[in-house]
Amino acid sequence: MTDLGRRIAHHRERLGLSIEQLADRAEMSAGYLKYLEEQPGSPTSDTLSQLAGALETTVDELLGGGAEKPPGRGPAMAHPSVETLDTDQCLRLIAPGGIGRVAFTSPNGPTVLPVNYKLYEGAVVFRTAHGGPMDQDLRSGLEGVDIKIGFEVDSIDEARHEGWSVMIQGPAHHVSEEELPKVIECGVTPWVGGRRELYIRIVPHQITGRRVHGL
């Protein structure tokens, strides 16, 4: 699969569309779309524009032009509306897992670091390295006392000028050897790789979120 194919598949799956459904939206052949997802191709600019519209994204995004730029660069809608999310809505949004941001206080000051996470039995679980910043700085030094931290997850749909964010606050618990066989079942895998064998679990004490509607 090429980079273009991966991006087409990503946006199609983001919208919950089958190849056939996308083909109907884009007024294209399902066979051709399947070929674009799986094989190198050179679609015309008109085809890319048509496909981007059906996928509710931009040609630049399909071609990877924004891959190294922060999201949300475009202007906001003239009259966006903000919806406050309840706890159940927040949990449904973050349930698939993915990338979140851990916010805590380090010796150098406020710190925010991205991590891969999974939800497991109502808690956020992520992995880090023994002896690393999130090992040392997330320890209180007192037996049985965990440090309270923040954890944030968000999603931005630039094509529709909307998105959502969820904030979790709770204690960061270093998973012990006795707890590890059960927690490891969550299957969280850090993109950064390396020996990240320390599992940290955040039990939510407070969950808040909001959604910004554009169109």
Side-chain angles (χ1 to χ4, degrees):
M1 183 181 286
T2 64
D3 286 345
L4 174 61
R6 276 190 286 272
R7 293 189 185 99
I8 293 172
H10 165 75
H11 288 289
R12 177 174 61 77
E13 291 165 2
R14 173 178 61 83
L15 295 172
L17 299 174
S18 66
I19 288 181
E20 291 73 18
Q21 290 170 322
L22 176 58
D24 287 340
R25 272 193 173 203
E27 299 181 350
M28 295 180 182
S29 159
Y32 178 59
L33 288 178
K34 188 173 188 297
Y35 173 82
L36 283 181
E37 285 194 9
E38 298 176 355
Q39 303 295 331
S42 300
T44 65
S45 58
D46 287 344
T47 298
L48 284 171
S49 179
Q50 197 170 341
L51 189 53
L55 289 169
E56 300 178 11
T57 186
T58 64
V59 172
D60 189 49
E61 182 68 25
L62 284 183
L63 294 176
E68 295 188 2
K69 300 176 183 178
R73 301 181 307 280
M77 296 297 289
H79 303 288
S81 62
V82 180
E83 173 191 3
T84 298
L85 304 175
D86 62 30
T87 297
D88 288 340
Q89 290 173 310
C90 289
L91 290 174
R92 279 197 297 272
L93 286 171
I94 69 172
I99 300 291
R101 297 166 185 84
V102 180
F104 59 98
T105 300
S106 76
N108 295 320
T111 302
V112 179
L113 293 174
V115 296
N116 292 82
Y117 79 94
K118 287 284 186 73
L119 272 190
Y120 183 71
E121 296 187 345
V124 172
V125 177
F126 65 92
R127 289 166 56 181
T128 189
H130 284 284
M134 286 190 288
D135 179 1
Q136 305 283 350
D137 297 341
L138 299 186
R139 292 186 187 273
S140 68
L142 302 174
E143 185 68 27
V145 177
D146 295 324
I147 292 178
K148 190 174 182 179
I149 65 171
F151 182 77
E152 190 267 354
V153 184
D154 58 58
S155 177
I156 296 173
D157 186 335
E158 296 198 48
R160 298 178 63 84
H161 300 272
E162 61 185 30
W164 56 262
S165 64
V166 171
M167 169 67 78
I168 288 176
Q169 293 169 304
H173 174 72
H174 290 60
V175 176
S176 66
E177 291 293 330
E178 292 76 21
E179 299 169 302
L180 188 57
K182 187 175 182 181
V183 176
I184 204 171
E185 293 175 2
C186 72
V188 63
T189 303
W191 279 8
V192 72
R195 293 186 58 82
R196 299 178 183 274
E197 305 303 328
L198 173 60
Y199 285 71
I200 294 180
R201 182 177 65 224
I202 307 170
V203 178
H205 282 189
Q206 182 172 345
I207 303 175
T208 57
R210 65 177 189 167
R211 185 191 293 273
V212 178
H213 297 276
L215 299 180

